[in-house]
Amino acid sequence: MNDVSELIPFPEKEEQLLASGTRKLLAHDYLAAKKDFEKLYEQTNTFDYVQLLVESYRLLGDIERALYYAEEYQAEYLEQEQTVEKYLHLLLLDEQYLTVHRLLQQYPNEKVQRDLLLLESTQDLIGEQTYLVKESQLQLWDQQRLPILGNQWHQWLKRLSLTRFVSLARAYLVRSQNPFLSPKLIEMLLSCGVKETILVKTIANQEVDIDLSKLQPLAQTPQLQLLLKLIAEKWENDDPQMAEAIALEAQAHLALLYPVLPEITAIPDWAQSYHLEYRAMFGDEQATIQLEKYPEIQEIKQILREIYQEVNCKMKCIRK
């Protein structure tokens, strides 16, 4: 009669898989090592084990799969200098030069910085066709006047050096037609540490110089923070759902206006105009009369609402 242990396949012990995978890794049998580390990680999800799995995928040349696992543990990778360097080098191998620029603002590393500049120089020398394709895609997005999906944006940013990106952004921002694209370009410039002055075309078709060294990301601007605070103070106690709806619309409006936001002194009038609009919706005639005090704000909001309505119509047509 067979022993029960022979009939039931028990999972291999962690120590055995770890020793086996490490031995195969050192012997350059990366595929076999990867299989062991996959079993190990399936049994025990730890940062130490995922690093071994990521390394085996890297050595196999499967950078996409290596990043898939590494990004699940991004916070852990960014906790120590040694693992930060490993993570940033994975991004370099995946040609995510702008992402590396962004992370280097928070996690400076001289070696990664040197490697990044070398790779970008090479990309600029041999990547003229890539640059033209990126430029063409930017023009297409401009004509479509639709929000850019996250994965599309991520793929577009790959294989772009910071120098080339700044060049594309400069040329585009002064003639932009897509109000969803300009804020994304500006925020990427900011996150990469660009400190230049950029000429930007506003919703009202005005050209404005923006000093990036003095600009904050939208979420950190005093205008947005004050507007949301005033809306909450006015509505949260009486109607929390209404407060949320107004805040969402206000935030969507400032997102399209960014980086040229209303002056901070005008924000109380913006908050009041939203308040009056929603009162007017429920039949408050006095609120309708009071709204006439804010013609410029209402005109801008009408333009912004038409932009979102245009998007809704286009999306409905696409679904059909």
Side-chain angles (χ1 to χ4, degrees), residues 15 50 65 78 87 92 107 151 158 162 187 200 248 261 279 288 290 301 316:
E15 296 84 357
V50 86
R65 198 67 180 165
L78 297 177
Y87 183 69
L92 288 179
Y107 310 96
N151 188 56
K158 289 174 68 170
L162 184 56
E187 292 219 314
V200 173
L248 285 172
L261 298 178
R279 280 175 47 195
T288 304
Q290 291 178 29
K301 283 157 68 177
K316 288 178 181 177

Side-chain angles (χ1 to χ4, degrees), residues 255-310:
L256 289 187
L257 293 175
Y258 185 80
V260 185
L261 298 178
E263 294 293 334
I264 191 71
T265 53
I267 293 301
D269 287 346
W270 275 75
Q272 180 67 2
S273 73
Y274 286 111
H275 175 63
L276 293 171
E277 277 182 331
Y278 281 88
R279 280 175 47 195
M281 282 174 55
F282 292 100
D284 189 329
E285 294 182 4
Q286 193 62 35
T288 304
I289 295 170
Q290 291 178 29
L291 268 174
E292 294 176 4
K293 297 178 183 178
Y294 310 105
E296 292 182 5
I297 293 174
Q298 291 305 103
E299 183 179 351
I300 295 170
K301 283 157 68 177
Q302 181 59 33
I303 293 171
L304 298 172
R305 284 168 177 153
E306 287 174 0
I307 290 170
Y308 281 110
Q309 287 168 4
E310 179 187 351

Side-chain angles (χ1 to χ4, degrees), residues 98-115:
L98 297 177
T99 303
V100 175
H101 273 289
R102 178 172 58 80
L103 288 172
L104 284 173
Q105 302 303 306
Q106 300 172 264
Y107 310 96
N109 183 296
E110 290 184 7
K111 184 179 185 306
V112 174
Q113 184 73 48
R114 289 195 301 270
D115 293 342

Side-chain angles (χ1 to χ4, degrees), residues 9 26-27 58 68 77 80 104 116 121 124 130 143 149 177 233 245 248 262 275 279 290 293:
L26 292 173
R58 184 189 72 81
Y68 170 81
Y77 268 102
Q80 299 179 27
L104 284 173
L116 171 61
S121 298
D124 287 346
T130 298
Q143 294 165 9
L149 298 177
Q177 299 297 320
E233 288 175 352
L248 285 172
H275 175 63
R279 280 175 47 195
Q290 291 178 29
K293 297 178 183 178

Side-chain angles (χ1 to χ4, degrees), residues 4 10 89 128 133 234 271:
V4 175
F10 289 100
H89 273 121
E128 187 62 31
V133 171
K234 184 78 74 173

